[in-house]
Amino acid sequence: MNLPAVTPAKSDTASPMGEIIAVREAVVDVRFAAGHLPEINSALEVAWDGGAPLILEVHSHLDPRTVRAVALMSTSGLARHVMVRATGEAIRVPVGEAVVGRMLDVTGIPRDNGPALPADVPRRAIHSDPPAMQTENASTDIFETGVKVLDLLTPLAHGGKAAMFGGAGVGKTVLTMELIHAMAAKYQGLSIFTGVGERSREGHEMLSDMNGSGVIRHAVLVYGQMNEPPGARWRVPLTALAIAEYFRDEQHKNVLLLMDNIYRFVQAGSELSSLLGRLPSRVGYQSTLATEVGAVEERITSVAGAAVTAIQTVYVPADDFTDPAVTAIATHMDSQIVLSRDLAAQGFYPAVDPLASSSVLLDPLVVGDAHCEIAEQVRESLARLKSLQDVIALLGVEELGSDDRRTVTRARRLQRFLSQPFTVTEKFTGQPGRSVSLADTLAGCRAILDGETDDWAESSLYMVGTLDEARQKEQVARKAAAGAAV
């Protein structure tokens, strides 16, 4: 049997017992003896016959003897008068090398049908304060992903936070796995994937894909699934943060923290707010929205010698970027990556929309004048191509002016050059993955903008790494065409 997430107390004196007096879905009221009221955010363990221990977390004090707690597991079958033990401490989850390659739930119990964790595995509380400001490392170093379109147009900060906006079927999971691979290969770091409100199917697919690609050896998976109570979805980001902070602070490792989907964390908080009887705020969200988001985001930071780089997917309700939850999350982000369904339908992977995506790091003072100039010209070319799409569809490219024809020619080649095969998809496509350095990306885009590839076939630039690889592909195609002509 797997170890319970909460370490048992040593004596009854340290573990006062209480009695459940009310159960409302995920909210449970517990009464203790006078003078034994557990602290806010401390864990309670229900002594019932429901199988695995039911963990509650103290949310508020109702009176000198009663606390209101949030259940992190299903309360189905839970009744009044059941006894509850106060652990006297916050929920503590396993951390360290023992959890690498494993899938855990919100309380740190393995859910991958693997062996139990060792008895001496270190544990860490899910609640902690952000590092003191004077210890934070406000570095503007670029986190090179090896993904051309990201490194060129939406550079990520090493130790920063990025938001990835995208729906199902646009390559979000594949891009996430490639970033995990990049962290392991380039930075010798660890990746922690957090499934917040994920479907059970998606969790199984992610675990299977990671096992198949070998990425799991450098990753930890933490899940609070959609079918679990809102308390699990509300606290699972904190579980992942506790693991990430251990590797950052104790082992001084760089950590890539991926959260899918951080919006469901907000939704879980909204559900609990209603169950707790709070008055709603704007658009029905909880009044504590900004505080809850800030409590998660402010812990994602770097200290001297190690960094936590976060990439979080965000669902945008009704495509409304002014939604309070979206704006609350976006205020903490350095980069915004928008995945396009249209690009995915055309076969351009990664399907990153170069016009909608942005980064505060795309600044001459951070990335240099040359990078900014090339990125701006690439965006201008792609924007012009988009504006001329209707004209091209109706009249054809031949009806455009010479300047527009030249711009469209180069923009289409840029669009194809910014696609690339991924290492994690190699076993499906049979095409070796490519990780491209920023210097090679800039050199390739510069050459295309200068017209060096105007007479190349567009297919020569599709799904390649560097421009040299595209050049070799073009030469092979020309030789084949010449041989066929003879």
Side-chain angles (χ1 to χ4, degrees):
M1 179 181 294
N2 290 316
L3 291 171
V6 181
T7 305
K10 296 181 179 179
S11 67
D12 292 338
T13 303
S15 303
M17 300 298 292
E19 180 185 14
I20 293 176
I21 60 172
V23 180
R24 292 179 300 279
E25 296 186 26
V27 176
V28 181
D29 292 348
V30 184
R31 178 169 295 159
F32 288 86
H36 293 283
L37 208 60
E39 296 182 358
I40 301 292
N41 290 333
S42 64
L44 309 178
E45 187 173 298
V46 178
W48 69 330
D49 56 0
L54 172 60
I55 305 302
L56 313 177
E57 184 180 77
V58 177
H59 176 271
S60 58
H61 293 164
L62 300 183
D63 59 48
R65 292 187 56 191
T66 310
V67 299
R68 179 157 289 168
V70 173
L72 303 189
M73 303 170 187
S74 174
T75 58
S76 177
L78 187 62
R80 291 185 297 171
H81 308 303
V82 173
M83 300 305 293
V84 174
R85 181 177 64 84
T87 65
E89 59 184 1
I91 295 171
R92 300 177 66 83
V93 295
V95 296
E97 295 297 335
V99 302
V100 177
R102 304 300 302 271
M103 176 187 282
L104 311 176
D105 67 7
V106 63
T107 59
I109 298 175
R111 298 297 184 184
D112 52 8
N113 295 324
L117 296 174
D120 59 348
V121 63
R123 293 180 178 271
R124 192 176 180 117
I126 66 171
H127 294 281
S128 67
D129 295 326
M133 187 170 292
Q134 60 268 27
T135 66
E136 293 184 8
N137 182 16
S139 173
T140 56
D141 294 341
I142 300 300
F143 173 68
E144 282 198 36
T145 64
V147 180
K148 290 180 287 189
V149 66
L150 296 186
D151 292 340
L152 174 67
L153 300 176
T154 60
L156 308 182
H158 190 59
K161 295 183 280 287
M164 186 188 301
F165 301 90
V170 295
K172 179 176 57 182
T173 299
V174 174
L175 181 55
T176 297
M177 290 174 61
E178 187 69 12
L179 292 175
I180 293 174
H181 186 274
M183 167 59 84
K186 185 169 293 187
Y187 294 95
Q188 291 77 48
L190 179 79
S191 300
I192 299 174
F193 181 87
T194 315
V196 185
E198 288 282 276
R199 300 171 184 87
S200 299
R201 170 188 58 79
E202 293 174 335
H204 287 296
E205 288 179 356
M206 173 68 78
L207 182 60
S208 177
D209 290 345
M210 285 189 169
N211 278 321
S213 63
V215 168
I216 193 68
R217 297 193 302 269
H218 311 286
V220 182
L221 277 66
V222 186
Y223 273 83
Q225 297 183 119
M226 185 177 288
N227 62 330
E228 296 185 60
R233 290 177 271 127
W234 190 49
R235 285 311 189 206
V236 72
L238 302 189
T239 300
L241 279 170
I243 298 172
E245 288 168 342
Y246 175 85
F247 283 105
R248 180 195 66 191
D249 299 337
E250 303 298 331
Q251 299 195 3
H252 308 291
K253 283 188 176 182
N254 293 320
V255 178
L256 178 63
L257 179 63
L258 301 114
M259 292 190 184
D260 182 16
N261 187 306
I262 193 65
Y263 178 79
R264 294 184 186 131
F265 159 75
V266 174
Q267 281 185 312
S270 180
E271 291 177 43
L272 286 173
S273 182
S274 298
L275 291 173
L276 292 167
R278 295 181 185 150
L279 290 175
S281 183
R282 292 174 53 203
V283 199
Y285 287 110
Q286 62 270 42
S287 56
T288 54
L289 171 63
T291 302
E292 291 176 8
V293 172
V296 171
E297 301 294 348
E298 289 178 11
R299 286 173 60 180
I300 304 173
T301 186
S302 302
V303 297
V308 177
T309 304
I311 300 177
Q312 306 166 31
T313 62
V314 184
Y315 167 69
V316 183
D319 294 330
D320 179 13
F321 281 80
T322 64
D323 184 89
V326 175
T327 55
I329 295 169
T331 54
H332 295 274
M333 298 299 157
D334 305 312
S335 306
Q336 296 186 10
I337 303 165
V338 180
L339 299 179
S340 166
R341 192 171 300 280
D342 289 340
L343 290 175
Q346 297 175 54
F348 295 120
Y349 288 104
V352 175
D353 189 332
L355 303 180
S357 304
S358 62
S359 172
V360 298
L361 298 177
L362 195 59
D363 185 285
L365 297 177
V366 179
V367 299
D369 293 329
H371 186 160
C372 275
E373 180 183 354
I374 293 173
E376 183 177 352
Q377 291 181 13
V378 167
R379 275 213 175 97
E380 287 176 356
S381 295
L382 295 173
R384 186 59 179 160
L385 172 64
K386 185 175 182 179
S387 68
L388 293 171
Q389 288 286 20
D390 291 341
V391 176
I392 294 171
L394 290 173
L395 304 176
V397 178
E398 294 75 14
E399 297 301 320
L400 300 176
S402 59
D403 289 343
D404 282 341
R405 281 203 306 272
R406 183 171 58 251
T407 299
V408 168
T409 296
R410 295 174 184 177
R412 287 175 62 87
R413 283 159 174 76
L414 282 169
Q415 201 172 46
R416 283 150 179 78
F417 179 67
L418 292 177
S419 68
Q420 71 186 84
F422 282 165
T423 302
V424 296
T425 61
E426 186 173 331
K427 70 172 186 173
F428 304 109
T429 63
Q431 188 172 5
R434 296 288 185 267
S435 178
V436 184
S437 68
L438 177 59
D440 287 337
T441 298
L442 294 175
C445 291
R446 179 77 275 167
I448 295 172
L449 290 167
D450 290 342
E452 293 182 22
T453 65
D454 286 357
D455 60 342
W456 292 15
E458 292 179 356
S459 58
S460 297
L461 292 155
Y462 178 68
M463 282 294 172
V464 297
T466 64
L467 192 68
D468 289 338
E469 185 181 342
R471 183 178 288 110
Q472 294 172 8
K473 194 175 177 181
E474 173 69 13
Q475 291 171 354
V476 170
R478 289 186 178 185
K479 288 179 182 178
V486 172

